């Protein structure tokens, strides 16, 4: 199974780099469409738009409609649940509008679980006790396949960048860490939000952060030729070896199959 992860496109209509962000998004989708072998799914780990506005979501939905693989989206701190729901409810995988955007996808050799870590208080992550109970139910519903979990905010200590903890409290991270390790079926956690690549662990589970698609918002050092080229990640799952992650620079030569 091949998962293409994209994140933090942060589309906006009225910033000096609005056109650049739209181009980064469109070029990334075109690059994913040209992959051989093609990915089975594309997961957008949130901060789809910058201000949560419905006109921004219209642009994002138009960009994602060009994708050949099925697309699943998460909510990030820049998103707006109601507007995100309105833009993407046609996919049929989002729960009702009033709920957290937590869901599971069962159509693949790996069960995918998407978590809503938006906080009403700040840009940092949150995860309520109610959601913990639901997460454990989503994990327990799987008795055979491995599970990959997607979150916008990384639920582990990120050792690069100025901020090491991206949740409001360490207690919330501890609760989430415990829940994720609950049955031993979760084999990977994939996140965004930090705008630069990072690796870590949630307890014993491998966890990664991908850089952001918007090149003008990306952090970390890139050579001059790469400054206008978005970077995304491809996670390949093999039943024997588990997940392996490849970082892909948009516009590079096609991957060897
Ligand atoms: Fe974010």
């Amino acid at each position: 199974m091949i998962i293409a992860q994209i994140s933090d496109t942060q589309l906006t209509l009225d910033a000096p780099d609005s056109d650049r962000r739209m181009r980064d998004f469109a070029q990334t989708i075109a690059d994913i469409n040209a992959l051989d072998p093609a990915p089975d799914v594309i997961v957008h780990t949130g901060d789809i738009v910058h201000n949560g506005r419905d006109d921004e979501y219209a642009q994002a939905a138009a960009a994602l409609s060009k994708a050949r693989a099925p697309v699943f989206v998460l909510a990030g701190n820049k998103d707006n649940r109601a507007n995100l729901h309105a833009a993407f409810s046609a996919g049929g995988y989002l729960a009702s509008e009033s709920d957290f955007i937590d869901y599971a996808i069962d159509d693949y050799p790996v069960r995918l679980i998407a978590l809503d870590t938006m906080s009403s208080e700040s840009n940092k992550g949150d995860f309520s006790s109610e959601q913990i109970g639901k997460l454990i139910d989503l994990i327990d519903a799987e008795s055979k396949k491995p599970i990959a979990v997607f979150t916008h905010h990384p639920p582990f200590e990120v050792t690069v960048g100025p901020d090491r903890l991206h949740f409001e409290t360490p207690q919330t991270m501890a609760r989430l860490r415990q829940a994720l390790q609950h049955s031993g079926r979760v084999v990977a956690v994939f996140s965004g939000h930090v705008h630069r690549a990072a690796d870590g662990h949630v307890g014993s589970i491998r966890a990664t952060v991908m850089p952001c698609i918007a090149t003008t918002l990306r952090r970390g050092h890139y050579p001059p030729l790469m400054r206008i080229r978005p970077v995304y990640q491809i996670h390949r799952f093999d039943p024997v070896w588990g997940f392996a992650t490849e970082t892909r620079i948009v516009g590079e030569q096609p991957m060897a199959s």
Side-chain angles (χ1 to χ4, degrees), residues 11-34:
L11 288 194
T12 178
L13 303 180
D14 43 22
D17 63 337
S18 295
D19 290 348
R20 182 71 250 164
R21 295 191 205 184
M22 191 61 231
R23 268 204 304 283
D24 289 339
F25 199 166
Q27 286 173 355
T28 301
I29 296 301
D31 196 272
I32 293 171
N33 283 344

Side-chain angles (χ1 to χ4, degrees), residues 92-217:
Y93 59 89
L94 299 175
S96 72
E97 193 173 327
S98 56
D99 283 343
F100 293 109
I101 300 175
D102 296 326
Y103 57 87
I105 303 295
D106 246 343
D107 307 340
Y108 304 100
V110 177
R111 178 169 233 231
L112 311 179
I113 295 180
L115 301 181
D116 178 341
T117 55
M118 280 177 84
S119 164
S120 53
E121 306 293 321
S122 75
N123 279 332
K124 289 205 164 193
D126 195 13
F127 205 71
S128 68
S129 314
E130 177 196 340
Q131 287 176 282
I132 290 281
K134 193 175 157 193
L135 170 59
I136 287 175
D137 290 344
L138 289 175
I139 291 172
D140 281 345
E142 181 56 67
S143 60
K144 292 194 177 74
K145 295 189 289 192
I147 299 171
V149 171
F150 296 83
T151 67
H152 179 67
H153 299 86
F156 61 97
E157 186 183 30
V158 172
T159 53
V160 292
D163 233 347
R164 295 170 83 91
L165 300 182
H166 294 274
F167 275 73
E168 280 171 0
T169 70
Q171 291 78 10
T172 303
M173 293 178 79
R175 270 203 321 249
L176 189 47
R177 182 167 64 243
Q178 202 172 12
L180 288 168
Q181 295 183 99
H182 162 68
S183 75
R185 290 215 160 269
V186 177
V187 296
V189 177
F190 300 119
S191 305
H193 181 64
V194 185
H195 293 203
R196 67 172 96 210
D199 288 281
H201 286 88
V202 178
S204 55
I205 306 164
R206 173 183 178 262
T208 56
V209 173
M210 66 157 283
C212 73
I213 293 298
T215 51
T216 46
L217 304 175

Side-chain angles (χ1 to χ4, degrees), residues 8 47 77 152 193:
D8 301 271
D47 282 359
N77 50 290
H152 179 67
H193 181 64

